[in-house]
Amino acid sequence: MKYYDKLIFELSKEGRTAFTLPADRWGMDCTGAIPSALRREKDAVLPQVSEVDVVRHYTNLSQMNFGVDTGFYPLGSCTMKYNPKINEEIASMGAFAGLHPLQPDHTVMGALEVYDGLDHALAAITGMAHFTFLPCAGAHGELTGLMIMRQYHMAKGDLKRTKVIVPDSAHGTNPASAAVCGLEVVEVKSNADGLVDVEALKPLLGDDIAGIMMTNPNTLGLFEREIGEIATLVHGCGGLLYYDGANMNPLLGMVRPGDMGFDIMHLNLHKTFSTPHGGGGPGSGPVGVAEHLVEFLPKTRVSGFNGNFGVILRAYAYILMLGKQNVKLAGKYATMSANYIKESLKDCYKLPIPSVCKHEFVFDGLINDGSREGVEGATTLDVAKRLLDFGFHAPTIYFPLLFHQALMIEPTETESIETIDAFIDVMKKIAAEAAEDPSFLKSAPHCAPISRPDETTAARQPVLKWQDSL
Ligand SMILES: *Cc1c(COP(=O)(O)O)cnc(C)c1O
């Protein structure tokens, strides 16, 4: 451990200060101005450190972060792509950043034009009629979309429709949103090709089905070829089709959910359309609907005011800058990068579904994990941990649940061939290390500040701040 990896409280030395205001600078004692009920009973326990310690503390902390600005981040089902900095610049322009949601309408015409322009652009890209920009995340959009679905049935007096069909490969938020919306989740299985099993879908359909939630390409990065038939079947039983468009990259300018038969969808502007994400926000999950559902779009109440305007603005700037022609390239590059990695590594990692993928794909652990008599082989977790030593973020692991050793890779459209080749080389090297001596991987990462926390405790009872033991 480096000296400055210590917590700032551990660097503290009684009486050391960075800077002290003279007690009588203003010739008065202000403590009396604070009502006694609001005053501390005892002094806050603060670290006592010099200015240089403070500066080094925060600078070192900032360098412990990993993000798309520091390295390759192939996190499947997350679209961790590089986002042009000019969009950040535009979002921070005073005329936009200084807007207040309660300003008089006539002073925010420019902002309303941004909403309107993005509504038209997204409608053109997705084949939906109109969008609401209220939802602040993908899951929030799902909930909003499902409420629209439920409202549509209720408006027709059709109260039996309480079930939503969700494929077993779906993103975890899909069944969760349906449950939060008070709908019952019915799972439909995938077939051996990783696609929705149409024969398994048929018996589930009836007059109690509100709709189906799907994404296409699905969470395995595979295009649902039978989407036309699925749409006919679901519509045939009176249900609606919901499209999870969180990761629209592979489809941009190529295919439109509206043309595939979807009625409702959400997009994650913070994945596909330029807002950097991770760490919990801010996000935007606009919901689009086909013409026959426009009347059910929420006017208010889904979130405060009009959603996350800064995210909406970045998306609009991004789309305008790419233009119709270049928007198409995003899908092509994302798909090409994913297939290139898949084909380059399939001799080292198990590829359960070998077909051409879209923007992402899944391996199912190592082909040769090094296991021998009495020696436990390297797992997907070990591969992910070892990758950190090489400065790459790990892919998504153990998701989707369809495979025991899932390793889900999404390179996105923004990486150069050199970066992708470097990643492939490292993945090959790790596979070779595993075959030779899996124990070396089991102690990885060897270069990170911490190596192997207890994953369950770290997730369930995280200790994220220093606790005063005094
Ligand atoms: C990320 C993602 C979501 C959820 O989006 P949030 O903004 O994190 O709520 C939903 N579906 C899919 C397929 C996703 O990749």
Side-chain angles (χ1 to χ4, degrees):
M1 180 169 154
K2 287 180 289 183
Y3 178 69
Y4 276 101
D5 282 346
K6 284 186 183 188
L7 299 179
I8 195 159
F9 290 94
E10 295 167 335
L11 298 174
S12 179
K13 183 112 201 276
E14 186 70 35
R16 186 163 292 163
T17 58
F19 181 69
T20 318
L21 289 172
D24 62 351
R25 175 100 179 238
W26 308 109
M28 58 184 182
D29 175 7
C30 295
T31 37
I34 302 171
S36 58
L38 299 179
R39 269 187 254 156
R40 293 180 179 278
E41 280 162 17
K42 53 179 189 162
D43 284 348
V45 181
L46 296 174
Q48 302 187 46
V49 285
S50 67
E51 180 171 327
V52 66
D53 284 338
V54 174
V55 169
R56 285 181 186 159
H57 168 70
Y58 283 110
T59 306
N60 282 306
L61 267 189
S62 75
Q63 291 175 354
M64 287 164 85
N65 275 343
F66 191 96
V68 274
D69 284 356
T70 41
F72 182 47
Y73 206 144
L75 200 64
S77 194
C78 276
T79 311
M80 302 300 290
K81 70 180 189 185
Y82 176 77
N83 293 295
K85 291 287 174 275
I86 187 156
N87 300 329
E88 298 302 307
E89 195 102 336
I90 290 169
S92 61
M93 284 162 71
F96 291 126
L99 284 175
H100 192 283
L102 296 180
Q103 266 176 244
D105 291 354
H106 72 273
T107 65
V108 294
M109 286 298 148
L112 295 179
E113 195 177 325
V114 170
Y115 281 101
D116 188 57
L118 186 58
D119 185 28
H120 281 93
L122 295 183
I125 287 172
T126 61
M128 294 288 137
H130 280 293
F131 278 80
T132 169
F133 292 96
L134 294 176
C136 293
H140 195 188
E142 291 168 24
L143 178 62
T144 307
L146 289 167
M147 288 160 86
I148 292 172
M149 186 186 281
R150 203 180 50 183
Q151 210 57 39
Y152 162 79
H153 293 304
M154 282 166 67
K156 294 201 304 185
D158 192 351
L159 307 179
K160 292 186 302 298
R161 300 189 181 266
T162 54
K163 294 182 181 164
V164 165
I165 300 171
V166 180
D168 57 1
S169 66
H171 193 271
T173 49
N174 290 190
S177 301
V180 170
C181 194
L183 295 161
E184 191 185 324
V185 178
V186 183
E187 190 177 273
V188 57
K189 296 261 169 282
S190 303
N191 60 24
D193 296 331
L195 304 174
V196 166
D197 187 335
V198 178
E199 288 313 311
L201 174 66
K202 284 179 185 165
L204 304 177
L205 298 170
D207 63 4
D208 56 350
I209 295 299
I212 188 170
M213 295 180 87
M214 285 180 67
T215 179
N216 193 19
N218 65 23
T219 298
L220 297 172
L222 304 169
F223 194 84
E224 299 277 359
R225 289 190 300 271
E226 303 192 81
I227 188 60
E229 185 179 356
I230 294 172
T232 308
L233 287 169
V234 175
H235 284 148
C237 88
L240 296 178
L241 276 85
Y242 183 91
Y243 185 87
D244 178 341
N247 307 286
M248 261 290 282
N249 312 40
L251 295 197
L252 290 182
M254 311 299 291
V255 195
R256 307 192 310 167
D259 299 337
M260 294 183 221
F262 286 93
D263 305 284
I264 312 173
M265 68 174 294
H266 81 267
L267 291 163
N268 276 23
L269 299 187
H270 52 289
K271 282 181 183 166
T272 307
F273 294 102
S274 175
T275 287
H277 74 290
S284 177
V287 171
V289 294
E291 197 65 52
H292 65 115
L293 295 172
V294 169
E295 60 176 306
F296 298 105
L297 281 174
K299 306 285 179 295
T300 177
R301 303 273 280 290
V302 176
S303 65
F305 304 109
N306 291 307
N308 278 326
F309 178 66
V311 184
I312 290 153
L313 179 60
R314 286 179 184 87
Y316 190 44
Y318 181 65
I319 291 171
L320 288 184
M321 253 177 295
L322 285 181
K324 219 174 187 173
Q325 283 312 308
N326 295 326
V327 156
K328 281 187 187 169
L329 292 177
K332 285 187 182 165
Y333 286 147
T335 300
M336 190 165 61
S337 302
N339 280 288
Y340 179 67
I341 296 178
K342 171 170 72 71
E343 292 303 311
S344 305
L345 290 176
K346 69 179 184 191
D347 295 336
C348 310
Y349 295 83
K350 285 181 210 149
L351 183 61
I353 299 175
S355 45
V356 173
C357 64
K358 289 292 177 285
H359 59 306
E360 61 192 4
F361 65 94
V362 183
F363 283 132
D364 188 13
L366 287 150
I367 290 179
N368 181 353
D369 62 9
S371 57
R372 291 180 277 275
E373 183 93 339
V375 177
E376 205 192 318
T379 62
T380 278
L381 177 68
D382 300 326
V383 173
K385 291 281 186 185
R386 181 69 176 130
L387 264 175
L388 307 180
D389 283 335
F390 294 95
F392 291 120
H393 195 282
T396 296
I397 58 173
Y398 300 109
F399 176 83
L401 306 176
L402 298 173
F403 309 108
H404 290 304
Q405 292 294 327
L407 191 74
M408 186 184 202
I409 299 176
E410 179 184 1
T412 82
E413 68 269 26
T414 58
E415 298 298 333
S416 69
I417 181 77
E418 288 78 13
T419 302
I420 289 178
D421 278 338
F423 174 73
I424 291 169
D425 284 350
V426 164
M427 287 291 281
K428 284 184 177 167
K429 182 173 160 52
I430 293 173
E433 287 175 350
E436 187 165 315
D437 176 13
S439 70
F440 184 66
L441 262 58
K442 294 202 168 291
S443 55
H446 305 116
C447 309
I450 56 168
S451 179
R452 297 262 176 157
D454 171 343
E455 305 269 334
T456 313
T457 313
R460 302 264 159 84
Q461 295 162 320
V463 180
L464 300 176
K465 63 182 205 287
W466 180 79
Q467 273 155 1
D468 173 16
S469 55
L470 303 175

